Amino acid sequence: MKLTLLPGTNLYITDPSLSAKAVWGFIPRRTSSDQTVDLADTWNRALGYYVFFPAADRGSGWKQFVDQLKEQMGAGTNRRFGFFNTHGNGLDFLSVSGTGNEQALTVGDTFVFRNIKLQVSPIQSKVSATFDNASSTFKIARLSSGGVDSAVWTASGAGGARKIYPLGDLKIPVSGPTPGTLMTE
């Protein structure tokens, strides 16, 4: 999958002509003059950050927005995935280390969706993170170790909290009908 530089910024997205509909992008660690990058290459060589945010018409404010995202991504060790609100405030981050297609999740996070939580944890630094080029999807493997799972959904209701375990890996598609969505099978 090829990504194109959004003019006037350091953000690569799938189609700059649809920037108001963009919900994710890639920000390189080092400024580049390349007009396009290959997404699989950016992953395999650990070249930067994958940022996810709500679609909005930012008009001439894209550069400031992207600079704000990059600053927050660079503030944590090995941050590779960042999830932001419309204003560019960081909500959650996942850290990954290494190079090549299979890398290691090093720092997880807890994502809160109203009364549901998704906890992603690195369990003994053995949870792998990969990019599947054929489906344009990032995958974080579900791993169990000593009764602990690397990805756990928890639902809270009137009767208390209840753990709901996913059937498979955590996925973040970057194309198709729901790009940038956290999902499990």
Side-chain angles (χ1 to χ4, degrees):
M1 171 183 260
K2 290 286 184 193
L3 301 177
T4 304
L5 184 64
L6 182 63
T9 73
N10 199 20
L11 177 71
Y12 290 85
I13 60 178
T14 54
D15 185 349
S17 69
L18 301 174
S19 63
K21 295 182 179 183
V23 294
W24 78 278
F26 168 74
I27 302 173
R29 281 193 180 88
R30 293 185 182 93
T31 302
S32 171
S33 61
D34 295 337
Q35 292 301 302
T36 62
V37 294
D38 179 75
L39 181 56
D41 186 51
T42 67
W43 173 257
N44 291 331
R45 294 178 44 210
L47 297 176
Y49 315 114
Y50 306 95
V51 293
F52 302 87
F53 44 84
D57 186 356
R58 294 181 175 84
S60 62
W62 271 106
K63 182 180 180 340
Q64 181 181 357
F65 180 75
V66 172
D67 289 348
Q68 184 177 347
L69 302 186
K70 185 174 183 177
E71 182 179 326
Q72 292 173 75
M73 292 301 293
T77 303
N78 294 325
R79 283 186 177 170
R80 293 289 290 288
F81 297 96
F83 301 86
F84 300 86
N85 68 14
T86 303
H87 305 290
N89 299 316
L91 302 173
D92 299 287
F93 302 94
L94 296 176
S95 295
V96 176
S97 66
T99 58
N101 188 48
E102 186 172 320
Q103 301 174 29
L105 179 70
T106 56
V107 177
D109 205 339
T110 300
F111 300 85
V112 179
F113 313 93
R114 295 188 178 154
N115 69 327
I116 297 176
K117 292 180 186 176
L118 170 62
Q119 182 177 355
V120 182
S121 55
I123 301 181
Q124 303 168 358
S125 299
K126 294 181 181 177
V127 176
S128 69
T130 60
F131 178 70
D132 180 44
N133 201 31
S135 65
S136 298
T137 302
F138 291 102
K139 296 180 181 180
I140 297 173
R142 179 174 176 253
L143 176 70
S144 295
S145 177
V148 178
D149 280 85
S150 60
V152 177
W153 288 99
T154 305
S156 300
R162 187 171 74 103
K163 287 185 179 179
I164 304 167
Y165 294 96
L167 300 176
D169 303 337
L170 176 67
K171 296 181 179 184
I172 310 170
V174 292
S175 67
T178 57
T181 304
L182 288 169
M183 58 180 62
T184 56
E185 293 182 328

